[in-house]
Amino acid sequence: MTSMLSRFVWRTLAYGCIGLGTAGLVVPLLPTTPFLLVAAWAAPKGSPRLARWLWQHPRIGPTLHAWQEQRAVPRRAKRLAVVLLLFSWLVLWLGKAPSGVLALTAVLFIGVATFVLTRPDATPLRSEGQDKTDVMIRKF
């Protein structure tokens, strides 16, 4: 019984994070990547099928592999992250957010942008098929 409950909790966390990560693509101030990393971590504990889907997804999988194997971020993702951080801050500014909120988010966003930009650029990874994905799921 506890095993089924545990798998349900992990699966719910994974799906919830996928949903939040997807929403983060269009909602300012909601990050995508951290939610997808949590989903990739939780999915194998609740649904190996979902984990394989994440790791083999044509858009998500390569980023997960780059992070897991190289602690790297693709250059395109870096540019997108910085643009979205700037856009989110502009939304706050145009929305007349209090200056304290603007200052705090500016510091936070600069920190996040610095972290992302200082990660190595992801290099293309060799595709070794299903066995490689299964190993990555277990390692993550």
Side-chain angles (χ1 to χ4, degrees), residues 18-110:
I18 291 169
L20 288 170
T22 302
L25 293 171
V26 293
V27 176
L29 301 178
L30 188 61
T32 297
T33 303
F35 287 117
L36 292 179
L37 291 175
V38 171
W41 170 73
K45 297 166 179 59
S47 172
R49 183 172 156 220
L50 175 60
R52 273 190 299 283
W53 178 82
L54 279 170
W55 286 90
Q56 293 174 349
H57 190 277
R59 302 282 287 193
I60 300 168
T63 301
L64 292 175
H65 284 283
W67 181 255
Q68 180 64 33
E69 295 177 11
Q70 305 168 10
R71 289 296 187 246
V73 177
R75 189 172 292 153
R76 182 175 180 269
K78 289 180 184 184
R79 285 191 301 262
L80 182 61
V82 171
V83 166
L84 290 175
L85 287 167
L86 286 169
F87 175 74
S88 296
W89 192 86
L90 283 172
V91 167
L92 288 172
W93 181 65
L94 292 171
K96 308 244 186 274
S99 41
V101 170
L102 290 173
L104 183 63
T105 55
V107 170
L108 176 67
F109 288 179
I110 289 169

